[in-house]
Short mmCIF file of all heavy atoms in Angstrom, two decimals:
data_model
loop_
_atom_site.label_atom_id
_atom_site.label_comp_id
_atom_site.label_asym_id
_atom_site.label_seq_id
_atom_site.Cartn_x
_atom_site.Cartn_y
_atom_site.Cartn_z
N VAL A 1 -30.10 16.85 8.38
CA VAL A 1 -31.40 16.54 9.09
C VAL A 1 -32.35 17.67 8.97
O VAL A 1 -33.29 17.87 9.61
CB VAL A 1 -31.11 16.17 10.61
CG1 VAL A 1 -30.44 14.92 10.77
CG2 VAL A 1 -30.35 17.33 11.24
N LYS A 2 -32.14 18.65 7.99
CA LYS A 2 -32.96 19.81 7.82
C LYS A 2 -34.38 19.52 7.46
O LYS A 2 -35.25 20.35 7.63
CB LYS A 2 -32.21 20.85 7.05
CG LYS A 2 -32.24 20.61 5.53
CD LYS A 2 -31.63 21.80 4.76
CE LYS A 2 -31.57 21.50 3.26
NZ LYS A 2 -30.98 22.60 2.56
N TYR A 3 -34.63 18.27 6.74
CA TYR A 3 -35.86 18.00 6.28
C TYR A 3 -36.67 17.19 7.16
O TYR A 3 -37.86 16.69 6.90
CB TYR A 3 -35.93 17.39 4.86
CG TYR A 3 -35.35 18.50 3.91
CD1 TYR A 3 -34.17 18.31 3.08
CD2 TYR A 3 -36.19 19.61 3.62
CE1 TYR A 3 -33.84 19.19 2.24
CE2 TYR A 3 -35.80 20.44 2.70
CZ TYR A 3 -34.64 20.26 1.95
OH TYR A 3 -34.20 21.21 0.96
N ILE A 4 -36.24 16.82 8.35
CA ILE A 4 -37.08 15.90 9.28
C ILE A 4 -37.92 16.97 10.18
O ILE A 4 -37.57 18.02 10.35
CB ILE A 4 -36.06 15.11 10.22
CG1 ILE A 4 -35.36 15.93 11.17
CG2 ILE A 4 -35.21 14.20 9.33
CD1 ILE A 4 -34.63 15.17 12.39
N SER A 5 -39.09 16.34 10.60
CA SER A 5 -40.14 17.05 11.39
C SER A 5 -39.57 17.22 12.78
O SER A 5 -38.58 16.52 13.22
CB SER A 5 -41.36 16.31 11.42
OG SER A 5 -41.32 15.12 11.97
N HIS A 6 -40.17 18.14 13.59
CA HIS A 6 -39.89 18.16 14.99
C HIS A 6 -40.06 16.88 15.64
O HIS A 6 -39.29 16.55 16.59
CB HIS A 6 -40.66 19.28 15.62
CG HIS A 6 -40.33 19.57 17.00
ND1 HIS A 6 -39.04 20.04 17.38
CD2 HIS A 6 -41.05 19.46 18.21
CE1 HIS A 6 -39.01 20.25 18.72
NE2 HIS A 6 -40.21 19.83 19.23
N LEU A 7 -41.27 16.22 15.35
CA LEU A 7 -41.31 14.86 15.94
C LEU A 7 -40.30 13.89 15.60
O LEU A 7 -39.95 13.19 16.62
CB LEU A 7 -42.78 14.27 15.46
CG LEU A 7 -43.23 12.93 16.02
CD1 LEU A 7 -43.32 13.01 17.64
CD2 LEU A 7 -44.49 12.53 15.44
N ASP A 8 -39.74 13.92 14.49
CA ASP A 8 -38.70 12.89 14.13
C ASP A 8 -37.39 13.37 14.84
O ASP A 8 -36.67 12.45 15.20
CB ASP A 8 -38.46 12.93 12.63
CG ASP A 8 -39.54 12.15 11.91
OD1 ASP A 8 -40.22 11.28 12.46
OD2 ASP A 8 -39.79 12.55 10.72
N LEU A 9 -37.28 14.59 15.03
CA LEU A 9 -36.01 15.08 15.80
C LEU A 9 -36.15 14.53 17.35
O LEU A 9 -35.06 14.04 17.77
CB LEU A 9 -35.98 16.62 15.87
CG LEU A 9 -34.92 17.31 16.73
CD1 LEU A 9 -33.59 16.97 16.07
CD2 LEU A 9 -35.23 18.74 16.93
N MET A 10 -37.29 14.66 17.86
CA MET A 10 -37.47 14.08 19.23
C MET A 10 -37.21 12.61 19.26
O MET A 10 -36.56 12.10 20.19
CB MET A 10 -38.87 14.42 19.73
CG MET A 10 -39.18 15.88 20.00
SD MET A 10 -40.86 16.33 20.34
CE MET A 10 -40.90 15.60 22.02
N LYS A 11 -37.59 11.86 18.24
CA LYS A 11 -37.41 10.54 18.11
C LYS A 11 -35.85 10.15 18.02
O LYS A 11 -35.40 9.23 18.57
CB LYS A 11 -38.17 9.81 16.92
CG LYS A 11 -39.65 9.83 17.17
CD LYS A 11 -40.37 9.25 15.96
CE LYS A 11 -41.86 9.15 16.21
NZ LYS A 11 -42.59 8.65 14.95
N SER A 12 -35.13 11.00 17.32
CA SER A 12 -33.70 10.92 17.15
C SER A 12 -32.90 11.01 18.36
O SER A 12 -32.14 10.32 18.76
CB SER A 12 -33.15 11.83 16.01
OG SER A 12 -33.61 11.55 14.82
N PHE A 13 -33.43 11.98 19.20
CA PHE A 13 -32.88 12.14 20.50
C PHE A 13 -33.25 10.95 21.38
O PHE A 13 -32.27 10.54 22.23
CB PHE A 13 -33.38 13.47 21.15
CG PHE A 13 -32.52 14.57 20.92
CD1 PHE A 13 -32.74 15.48 19.80
CD2 PHE A 13 -31.52 14.94 21.84
CE1 PHE A 13 -31.88 16.51 19.56
CE2 PHE A 13 -30.71 16.15 21.66
CZ PHE A 13 -30.79 16.86 20.47
N ASP A 14 -34.46 10.50 21.33
CA ASP A 14 -34.78 9.35 22.25
C ASP A 14 -33.95 8.16 21.93
O ASP A 14 -33.51 7.45 22.71
CB ASP A 14 -36.29 9.01 21.94
CG ASP A 14 -36.91 8.08 23.01
OD1 ASP A 14 -36.11 7.68 23.97
OD2 ASP A 14 -37.98 7.66 22.82
N ARG A 15 -33.79 7.88 20.67
CA ARG A 15 -32.92 6.71 20.25
C ARG A 15 -31.45 6.97 20.62
O ARG A 15 -30.81 5.92 21.05
CB ARG A 15 -32.96 6.53 18.68
CG ARG A 15 -34.29 5.97 18.24
CD ARG A 15 -34.15 5.41 16.74
NE ARG A 15 -34.14 6.61 15.87
CZ ARG A 15 -35.04 7.27 15.31
NH1 ARG A 15 -36.31 6.88 15.45
NH2 ARG A 15 -34.85 8.29 14.36
N ALA A 16 -30.88 8.11 20.48
CA ALA A 16 -29.60 8.41 20.80
C ALA A 16 -29.42 8.22 22.34
O ALA A 16 -28.35 7.72 22.82
CB ALA A 16 -29.08 9.79 20.45
N ILE A 17 -30.33 8.69 23.20
CA ILE A 17 -30.27 8.50 24.61
C ILE A 17 -30.28 7.13 25.05
O ILE A 17 -29.50 6.66 25.95
CB ILE A 17 -31.47 9.29 25.19
CG1 ILE A 17 -31.26 10.83 25.14
CG2 ILE A 17 -31.61 8.77 26.69
CD1 ILE A 17 -32.56 11.60 25.45
N ARG A 18 -31.10 6.32 24.45
CA ARG A 18 -31.21 4.87 24.74
C ARG A 18 -29.79 4.13 24.25
O ARG A 18 -29.37 3.40 25.12
CB ARG A 18 -32.29 4.19 24.05
CG ARG A 18 -33.67 4.65 24.60
CD ARG A 18 -34.85 4.07 23.77
NE ARG A 18 -36.13 4.62 24.10
CZ ARG A 18 -36.86 4.21 25.04
NH1 ARG A 18 -36.51 3.20 25.77
NH2 ARG A 18 -38.04 4.79 25.36
N ARG A 19 -29.37 4.47 23.15
CA ARG A 19 -28.08 3.84 22.68
C ARG A 19 -26.90 4.12 23.65
O ARG A 19 -26.06 3.49 23.87
CB ARG A 19 -27.74 4.21 21.22
CG ARG A 19 -28.62 3.53 20.21
CD ARG A 19 -27.97 3.76 18.87
NE ARG A 19 -27.88 5.11 18.36
CZ ARG A 19 -28.91 5.60 17.63
NH1 ARG A 19 -29.97 4.89 17.41
NH2 ARG A 19 -28.85 6.92 17.29
N ALA A 20 -26.91 5.40 24.06
CA ALA A 20 -25.78 6.00 24.85
C ALA A 20 -25.85 5.52 26.34
O ALA A 20 -25.02 5.77 27.15
CB ALA A 20 -25.69 7.41 24.69
N GLY A 21 -27.07 5.01 26.66
CA GLY A 21 -27.32 4.63 28.15
C GLY A 21 -27.33 5.78 29.00
O GLY A 21 -26.85 5.76 30.26
N ILE A 22 -27.78 6.96 28.58
CA ILE A 22 -27.88 8.21 29.36
C ILE A 22 -28.96 8.09 30.36
O ILE A 22 -30.06 7.70 29.97
CB ILE A 22 -28.03 9.51 28.51
CG1 ILE A 22 -26.77 9.64 27.62
CG2 ILE A 22 -28.26 10.67 29.36
CD1 ILE A 22 -26.84 10.70 26.59
N PRO A 23 -28.77 8.34 31.69
CA PRO A 23 -29.85 8.07 32.66
C PRO A 23 -30.89 9.25 32.71
O PRO A 23 -30.95 9.95 33.69
CB PRO A 23 -29.06 8.04 33.95
CG PRO A 23 -27.80 8.96 33.71
CD PRO A 23 -27.48 8.66 32.19
N VAL A 24 -31.59 9.40 31.61
CA VAL A 24 -32.65 10.47 31.50
C VAL A 24 -33.89 9.89 32.28
O VAL A 24 -34.08 8.60 32.16
CB VAL A 24 -33.01 10.75 30.09
CG1 VAL A 24 -34.30 11.62 29.95
CG2 VAL A 24 -31.89 11.58 29.46
N ILE A 25 -34.60 10.76 33.05
CA ILE A 25 -35.85 10.34 33.69
C ILE A 25 -36.97 10.21 32.64
O ILE A 25 -37.18 11.04 31.86
CB ILE A 25 -36.14 11.30 34.78
CG1 ILE A 25 -34.87 11.53 35.80
CG2 ILE A 25 -37.36 10.85 35.61
CD1 ILE A 25 -34.39 10.29 36.38
N TYR A 26 -37.61 9.08 32.82
CA TYR A 26 -38.71 8.93 31.84
C TYR A 26 -40.09 9.08 32.56
O TYR A 26 -40.24 9.00 33.77
CB TYR A 26 -38.71 7.44 31.36
CG TYR A 26 -37.85 7.35 30.19
CD1 TYR A 26 -36.41 7.27 30.45
CD2 TYR A 26 -38.26 7.17 28.90
CE1 TYR A 26 -35.53 7.10 29.43
CE2 TYR A 26 -37.29 7.14 27.81
CZ TYR A 26 -35.93 7.02 28.15
OH TYR A 26 -35.02 6.83 27.05
N SER A 27 -41.08 9.62 31.83
CA SER A 27 -42.40 9.78 32.34
C SER A 27 -43.06 8.45 32.80
O SER A 27 -42.68 7.36 32.29
CB SER A 27 -43.33 10.43 31.23
OG SER A 27 -43.54 9.55 30.10
N GLN A 28 -44.15 8.52 33.57
CA GLN A 28 -44.81 7.41 34.03
C GLN A 28 -45.99 7.05 33.01
O GLN A 28 -46.38 7.87 32.11
CB GLN A 28 -45.41 7.58 35.44
CG GLN A 28 -44.31 7.94 36.51
CD GLN A 28 -43.35 6.80 36.61
OE1 GLN A 28 -43.61 5.64 36.84
NE2 GLN A 28 -42.01 7.10 36.62
N GLY A 29 -46.47 5.86 33.15
CA GLY A 29 -47.61 5.57 32.34
C GLY A 29 -47.41 4.47 31.34
O GLY A 29 -46.40 3.80 31.27
N PHE A 30 -48.40 4.24 30.45
CA PHE A 30 -48.44 3.23 29.49
C PHE A 30 -47.35 3.31 28.43
O PHE A 30 -46.78 2.44 28.02
CB PHE A 30 -49.82 3.17 28.79
CG PHE A 30 -49.87 2.03 27.75
CD1 PHE A 30 -50.02 0.64 28.16
CD2 PHE A 30 -49.90 2.27 26.45
CE1 PHE A 30 -50.06 -0.30 27.28
CE2 PHE A 30 -50.00 1.25 25.51
CZ PHE A 30 -50.02 -0.03 25.96
N ASN A 31 -47.13 4.61 28.08
CA ASN A 31 -46.13 4.96 26.94
C ASN A 31 -45.06 5.88 27.54
O ASN A 31 -45.04 7.08 27.13
CB ASN A 31 -46.76 5.43 25.74
CG ASN A 31 -45.80 5.65 24.56
OD1 ASN A 31 -44.82 4.97 24.44
ND2 ASN A 31 -46.25 6.59 23.72
N PRO A 32 -44.12 5.48 28.31
CA PRO A 32 -43.16 6.32 28.87
C PRO A 32 -42.31 7.00 27.82
O PRO A 32 -41.86 6.50 26.83
CB PRO A 32 -42.29 5.63 29.83
CG PRO A 32 -42.50 4.16 29.35
CD PRO A 32 -43.85 4.03 28.76
N HIS A 33 -41.94 8.31 28.06
CA HIS A 33 -41.12 9.04 27.16
C HIS A 33 -40.11 9.84 27.95
O HIS A 33 -40.30 10.14 29.10
CB HIS A 33 -41.91 9.90 26.14
CG HIS A 33 -42.74 10.89 26.84
ND1 HIS A 33 -43.98 10.63 27.27
CD2 HIS A 33 -42.46 12.24 27.19
CE1 HIS A 33 -44.52 11.68 27.82
NE2 HIS A 33 -43.62 12.64 27.92
N PRO A 34 -38.90 10.05 27.36
CA PRO A 34 -37.90 10.88 28.22
C PRO A 34 -38.37 12.20 28.54
O PRO A 34 -38.97 13.03 27.70
CB PRO A 34 -36.76 10.98 27.25
CG PRO A 34 -37.22 10.68 25.95
CD PRO A 34 -38.43 9.85 26.07
N ASN A 35 -38.02 12.72 29.71
CA ASN A 35 -38.49 14.08 30.24
C ASN A 35 -37.46 15.05 29.53
O ASN A 35 -36.48 15.41 30.19
CB ASN A 35 -38.41 14.23 31.71
CG ASN A 35 -39.44 13.49 32.33
OD1 ASN A 35 -40.44 13.09 31.75
ND2 ASN A 35 -39.40 13.17 33.72
N MET A 36 -37.81 15.53 28.29
CA MET A 36 -36.95 16.47 27.62
C MET A 36 -37.95 17.46 26.97
O MET A 36 -39.05 17.20 26.59
CB MET A 36 -36.12 15.74 26.54
CG MET A 36 -36.86 14.95 25.52
SD MET A 36 -35.77 14.03 24.32
CE MET A 36 -37.02 13.31 23.32
N VAL A 37 -37.46 18.72 27.03
CA VAL A 37 -38.19 19.84 26.43
C VAL A 37 -37.33 20.66 25.42
O VAL A 37 -36.13 21.02 25.93
CB VAL A 37 -38.71 20.76 27.61
CG1 VAL A 37 -39.50 21.98 26.90
CG2 VAL A 37 -39.66 20.01 28.46
N PHE A 38 -37.79 20.91 24.34
CA PHE A 38 -37.05 21.60 23.40
C PHE A 38 -37.42 23.00 23.22
O PHE A 38 -38.69 23.39 23.55
CB PHE A 38 -37.16 20.90 21.83
CG PHE A 38 -36.51 19.62 21.84
CD1 PHE A 38 -37.11 18.48 22.31
CD2 PHE A 38 -35.22 19.49 21.32
CE1 PHE A 38 -36.51 17.27 22.22
CE2 PHE A 38 -34.64 18.19 21.25
CZ PHE A 38 -35.27 17.20 21.67
N GLY A 39 -36.58 23.84 22.76
CA GLY A 39 -36.89 25.31 22.54
C GLY A 39 -37.80 25.42 21.26
O GLY A 39 -38.36 24.50 20.96
N LEU A 40 -37.70 26.50 20.67
CA LEU A 40 -38.60 26.86 19.60
C LEU A 40 -38.35 25.99 18.38
O LEU A 40 -37.26 25.88 17.85
CB LEU A 40 -38.33 28.28 19.06
CG LEU A 40 -39.18 28.96 18.08
CD1 LEU A 40 -40.55 29.15 18.67
CD2 LEU A 40 -38.59 30.26 17.48
N PRO A 41 -39.37 25.12 17.98
CA PRO A 41 -39.15 24.23 16.93
C PRO A 41 -38.80 24.86 15.63
O PRO A 41 -39.30 25.94 15.21
CB PRO A 41 -40.53 23.49 16.78
CG PRO A 41 -41.16 23.66 18.14
CD PRO A 41 -40.70 24.99 18.65
#
């Protein structure tokens, strides 16, 4: 996965979280996303 962008990395985590059924808290609004923050890209 060394050639994927940081945005694609975040999408990979989002998909994995959903598949695993992990109870991550999502943001509010029209396009909710998981409350996750990464270190230095």
Side-chain angles (χ1 to χ4, degrees):
V1 292
K2 69 179 182 180
Y3 290 118
I4 69 172
S5 68
H6 184 64
L7 179 59
D8 288 333
L9 176 71
M10 294 174 67
K11 290 178 179 177
S12 294
F13 267 86
D14 192 5
R15 288 192 292 268
I17 287 167
R18 294 176 187 272
R19 282 195 297 266
I22 295 173
V24 169
I25 306 303
Y26 280 75
S27 63
Q28 302 297 314
F30 180 74
N31 184 28
H33 57 272
N35 287 345
M36 57 184 182
V37 178
F38 290 82
L40 190 69

